[in-house]
Amino acid sequence: MLRKHAVARRRKGHSGGSLLASVFVAAACMIGAAQAAETDYTVNPGDVLQITVWKEDGLDREVLVLPDGKISFPLVGDINARGCTALQIRDEVKARLESMIRDPYVTVSVKAALGNVVNVIGQVAKPGEQIVGRRVTVMQALSQAGGLTPYASESRIIVIRRDGDRQVAIPFPYDDVVRGESLDQDIVLAPGDVVVVPTASLF
């Protein structure tokens, strides 16, 4: 009987340890995903950055990315932040401070990704502008718009994207993606993209 209780306790302890390990693994995955998003995301006008220089009074502040894509920070001046990652901006701030501060420890994070705006128009439940944060695909944007209405033409959905001085229309194979096919066509939307969901033909 004592041996049975001992075995039961060991099994219970092993189960608890496995559960705890699973929790740690899940937490690590979430942290890794957040770090990856922070690494990959490129800054847009309208975003808010948090820039901190450790142990330096007055060098810890929120910075708005201006419409021209620039930010301004004390002792550093103006930096062109548009299209840069937080890590690239950190490196630039650090490089400019090194002549004034010995071994500056700089952190830069995207506090609010307010500049990453797309539009979903046409036959969706909630058409309009979306502030989508860091990365969002066409399917995610359609989901945030409440999904397609019964009148949507699933085969004629397009993404309108500005490419320099011109606009390009990118077809989106909705039916294929829903079936789990052509998943590489579920592209990440760029700031300013417009997802157009036309009305299906009645005939």
Side-chain angles (χ1 to χ4, degrees), residues 19 27 36 38 48 63 65-66 70 74 90 103 120 149 160 167 171 181 188 199:
L19 178 60
E38 190 74 16
V48 178
V63 178
V65 183
L66 299 176
K70 293 182 179 180
R90 179 204 65 184
D103 297 327
V120 182
T149 72
I160 298 177
Q167 289 185 325
E181 304 170 3
V188 174
T199 302

Side-chain angles (χ1 to χ4, degrees), residues 76 89-100 104 106:
V76 172
I89 297 170
R90 179 204 65 184
D91 291 344
E92 180 65 20
V93 171
K94 180 179 178 181
R96 295 193 186 189
L97 288 175
E98 283 178 339
S99 62
M100 295 167 278
V106 181

Side-chain angles (χ1 to χ4, degrees), residues 118-193:
V118 301
N119 280 274
V120 182
I121 63 175
Q123 292 298 333
V124 291
K126 297 181 291 184
E129 184 178 270
Q130 296 181 9
I131 298 176
V132 295
R134 287 167 170 74
R135 295 169 65 86
V136 66
T137 66
V138 179
M139 284 297 287
Q140 289 170 332
L142 291 173
S143 176
Q144 291 180 29
L148 307 186
T149 72
Y151 307 103
S153 176
E154 299 175 354
S155 62
R156 295 193 295 129
I157 298 174
I158 61 171
V159 177
I160 298 177
R161 175 170 295 174
R162 180 164 293 281
D163 181 14
D165 295 331
R166 65 191 185 97
Q167 289 185 325
V168 296
I170 306 171
F172 177 66
Y174 179 87
D175 291 332
D176 290 345
V177 174
V178 168
R179 289 195 299 266
E181 304 170 3
S182 303
L183 296 181
D184 59 326
Q185 298 300 306
D186 188 17
I187 59 174
V188 174
L189 295 173
D193 279 357

Side-chain angles (χ1 to χ4, degrees), residues 61-128:
R61 60 182 61 190
E62 293 180 7
V63 178
L64 175 68
V65 183
L66 299 176
D68 62 0
K70 293 182 179 180
I71 60 172
S72 183
F73 194 71
L75 303 181
V76 172
D78 293 341
I79 294 177
N80 186 14
R82 185 204 302 264
C84 297
T85 65
L87 294 180
Q88 290 172 327
I89 297 170
R90 179 204 65 184
D91 291 344
E92 180 65 20
V93 171
K94 180 179 178 181
R96 295 193 186 189
L97 288 175
E98 283 178 339
S99 62
M100 295 167 278
I101 301 173
R102 182 177 179 181
D103 297 327
Y105 185 80
V106 181
T107 59
V108 177
S109 61
V110 180
K111 186 167 186 178
L114 303 179
N116 198 7
V117 177
V118 301
N119 280 274
V120 182
I121 63 175
Q123 292 298 333
V124 291
K126 297 181 291 184

